Amino acid sequence: MWKSVAANGMSFLIVLFIALAGAIAWGQREFRAAGPLAEPVFFEVPRGASLRRVSEDLEELGAVSSSILFRLGAEYSGMAEQLRFGSYEIPAGASMEEVLEIVTAGGPSQFRYTATYVLQLAGTGELRLRERVPGTGEVVELADFAYENGIPEVYAELVDSGTPIAYRVSVPEGLTSWQIVEGLRMADFLSGEIAEIPPEGMLAPDTFEVRRGQDRQEIIDQMIENQEQILADAWANRQDGLPLASPEEVLILASIIEKETSVPDERRMVSSVFVNRLNRGMRLQTDPTVIYGITEGRGVLGRGIRASELRAETPWNTYVIDGLPPTPIANPGRAAIEAAVNPDGSPYIFFVADGTGGHAFAETLEEHNRNVAVWRRIEAEREAQRQ
């Protein structure tokens, strides 16, 4: 009898082993087989999410056929603890094995929706909402808007539904600290208060990846840290013999260069004009400093400079004061700072707009007056065309 029991038990174990082996083989085939997705989708792995939550979200999305099998495959392959926070594009027909590799690889996030907030001169900003079409890489414009004009429905619906959006803040070169702070205060996706307006010039322009709900002061602090490093590097690598006594004076000159030209190839030439003037004891006589003396960096002037304003005594008016003004007049970018410490070796002491977006440079007053006459003719012709 015991032999019969043992035989039956052995048979049961063999059947069980065969069934288990079959189940494992079936599971492996299912794990590697093409998945149920008919079209590519974007999927976000939340920060700190568990494997169970991710697998269930994937099943609900239709990216995997079984959350249980997905978890078992992750455990079996030793990847259960390797989930990486981010947003990922999952291609159509991806197997569970391929989906697991995507959400554990830790590559750059690929958000379907991106919102880039570009700060403006008036202390406002424009938000540019874009959609990346799954499977094609094509980027579609959904909305461009300023907050003061109202929030479009397409953006409001995405926010209200909790749809993942990649946010960026773009700070152009040449904005004042007031303009940057005011622009950040308007952004609906940021939080917190900015303690105070930072010193002029100490905010490094750049484009920053931010998260929804990020504290505004964090962005300001990062900009200050970046500018301090840029300025320290520039000061350490400056030309010999510059008429600049400190990094602070470099920043002041760089801000003037930033406001005088938007042509990258001109920055070092413009810098040379101002350096030559400083070396000769000549006043800088630059219009952007006059404008800053009027607005003190709060908003834009919105009109031409009056003759009386060219003569007005303000701390920044370089038609009146000698040397550099007491503070920067804007927040210069890296290129303008580097131009301030590495000017071209030119003989020029004058420049004026040339009608192409750049400037005509001159060594003598006679030559400069000819360039000014050309520019005035261009201005007159443009005015006549507008009428």
Side-chain angles (χ1 to χ4, degrees):
M1 180 177 112
W2 290 109
K3 288 184 179 180
S4 175
V5 172
N8 289 337
M10 183 61 69
S11 297
F12 175 77
L13 290 175
I14 292 171
V15 171
L16 183 62
F17 177 78
I18 292 172
L20 182 60
I24 292 173
W26 173 83
Q28 289 176 333
R29 287 195 301 272
E30 285 294 306
F31 192 69
R32 296 190 176 100
L37 275 180
E39 297 179 349
V41 296
F42 285 88
F43 177 75
E44 183 183 34
V45 177
R47 193 180 299 275
S50 66
L51 177 61
R52 175 179 288 276
R53 176 181 173 182
V54 169
S55 65
E56 291 175 351
D57 288 348
L58 285 167
E59 183 177 15
E60 183 178 353
L61 185 65
V64 301
S65 57
S66 169
S67 60
I68 295 175
L69 191 55
F70 182 83
R71 291 198 299 273
L72 289 173
E75 296 284 357
Y76 181 78
S77 61
M79 301 172 71
E81 304 298 326
Q82 297 181 30
L83 291 175
R84 296 290 183 268
F85 160 76
S87 180
Y88 306 100
E89 183 176 359
I90 300 177
S95 67
M96 284 186 268
E97 183 178 46
E98 291 169 334
V99 173
L100 181 62
E101 289 176 353
I102 290 171
V103 298
T104 58
S109 289
Q110 298 178 326
F111 285 84
R112 179 171 183 172
Y113 299 99
T114 60
T116 302
Y117 182 59
V118 183
L119 273 61
Q120 308 288 319
L121 284 169
T124 58
E126 179 181 279
L127 194 140
R128 300 168 183 174
L129 181 65
R130 304 290 185 268
E131 178 184 10
R132 185 171 179 265
V133 181
T136 68
E138 180 185 1
V139 177
V140 178
E141 176 183 311
L142 297 181
D144 283 357
F145 66 93
Y147 284 101
E148 60 265 31
N149 297 329
I151 296 177
E153 186 176 347
V154 62
Y155 176 68
E157 289 178 350
L158 290 174
V159 172
D160 291 343
S161 65
T163 301
I165 300 174
Y167 286 95
R168 302 184 182 95
V169 172
S170 182
V171 183
E173 294 89 345
L175 296 184
T176 66
S177 293
W178 179 88
Q179 289 166 340
I180 292 171
V181 167
E182 289 301 303
L184 291 177
R185 283 173 175 164
M186 294 192 69
D188 75 299
F189 54 90
L190 299 176
S191 66
E193 296 296 326
I194 298 172
E196 58 183 2
I197 297 176
E200 198 69 83
M202 284 308 300
L203 300 176
D206 205 344
T207 296
F208 301 87
E209 301 281 346
V210 301
R211 63 186 184 278
R212 185 170 187 84
Q214 184 165 340
D215 193 289
R216 294 177 175 88
Q217 189 65 48
E218 289 182 15
I219 302 172
I220 291 292
D221 292 344
Q222 183 63 59
M223 296 176 72
I224 293 174
E225 181 180 339
N226 292 355
Q227 194 76 315
E228 287 174 344
Q229 186 60 58
I230 292 169
L231 190 57
D233 291 343
W235 181 251
N237 294 287
R238 68 190 183 281
Q239 284 184 14
D240 293 333
L242 292 176
L244 303 171
S246 66
E248 290 72 26
E249 291 192 352
V250 170
L251 199 61
I252 294 170
L253 178 57
S255 72
I256 297 173
I257 296 168
E258 191 71 81
K259 298 300 288 185
E260 276 288 6
T261 182
S262 59
V263 179
D265 292 342
E266 275 194 356
R267 289 192 180 102
R268 293 183 63 195
M269 187 67 75
V270 170
S271 177
S272 74
V273 171
F274 292 133
V275 166
N276 290 341
R277 280 180 165 263
L278 289 171
N279 280 330
R280 298 187 188 191
M282 299 174 64
R283 288 177 175 169
L284 297 186
Q285 296 184 322
T286 170
D287 290 357
T289 63
V290 178
I291 294 172
Y292 193 86
I294 299 168
T295 67
E296 296 192 9
R298 295 174 179 264
V300 294
L301 183 60
R303 58 171 174 77
I305 301 173
R306 302 185 180 110
S308 60
E309 291 168 336
L310 291 174
R311 299 188 299 270
E313 293 188 7
T314 74
W316 294 275
N317 185 353
T318 54
Y319 285 87
V320 175
I321 66 170
D322 296 327
L324 294 166
T327 72
I329 61 170
N331 289 278
R334 182 189 296 271
I337 293 174
E338 292 177 348
V341 297
N342 286 290
D344 279 343
S346 85
Y348 301 130
I349 55 174
F350 301 102
F351 65 89
V352 68
D354 64 2
T356 68
H359 294 85
F361 295 86
E363 184 177 357
T364 66
L365 181 58
E366 181 181 6
E367 184 182 2
H368 176 60
N369 287 337
R370 289 198 297 268
N371 291 338
V372 170
V374 170
W375 169 238
R376 286 177 177 166
R377 284 198 300 272
I378 294 172
E379 281 189 307
E381 290 170 0
R382 290 178 176 174
E383 183 62 30
Q385 291 174 356
R386 285 193 290 266
Q387 294 176 355

